[in-house]
Amino acid sequence: EWLDVDLCLKKRRAPKRSKAPPSISYAGDVVRFLREVYPHLGVDSRENAVVLVLNSSNEPIGARVVSRGALSAAIVHPREVLQPVLLLPAAAFIFAHNHPSGHVTPSDDDVGLTRRLYEAGNVVGVKLLDSLVVGAKGGNDYWAWTSLDPASGVTRDSGEA
């Protein structure tokens, strides 16, 4: 399923607030935006993997659930993540998935997938800005590889949205 972000924002917000998609400045913005667009992300009992596609101003231009898994895992391959990225005029993308347990510490598989997505993005010329683990069961916690702040480099960031 492909999600048109502009359409989704118009359906969920008053018209005066849906003129432009929000600009993404840091990981907390991503979590808030994804929880608005995909309300089940914070409460689903299965892992969901989502890609958020951004333009050169870090504004969302598309999003897609690229995998729905089981209680503790979702099968995700870079080709499925990059497909919607390559179909749009993307400057960058962000990968996120939930942990139904509510624990946001990334697994070894999460770390490996993030490295593969970073490398794949570099090959096709679209930058992976961040990879997030979102807590589930309604919590606002998350874990992010970067804070999306250019001055912060590649520091790890965990926090609350």
Side-chain angles (χ1 to χ4, degrees), residues 24 26-35 52 94 96 132 148:
I24 302 295
Y26 78 107
D29 292 342
V30 176
V31 174
R32 278 189 294 280
F33 180 78
L34 289 176
R35 286 206 167 140
L52 181 62
I94 296 170
L132 292 92
L148 296 180

Side-chain angles (χ1 to χ4, degrees), residues 59-80:
E59 297 168 338
I61 57 173
R64 179 186 270 175
V65 174
V66 293
S67 180
R68 290 198 62 170
L71 180 65
S72 61
I75 297 173
V76 182
H77 193 277
R79 71 178 159 255
E80 281 82 26

Side-chain angles (χ1 to χ4, degrees), residues 6 16 26 57-58 132 155:
D6 291 331
K16 67 179 184 175
Y26 78 107
S57 298
N58 284 351
L132 292 92
T155 59

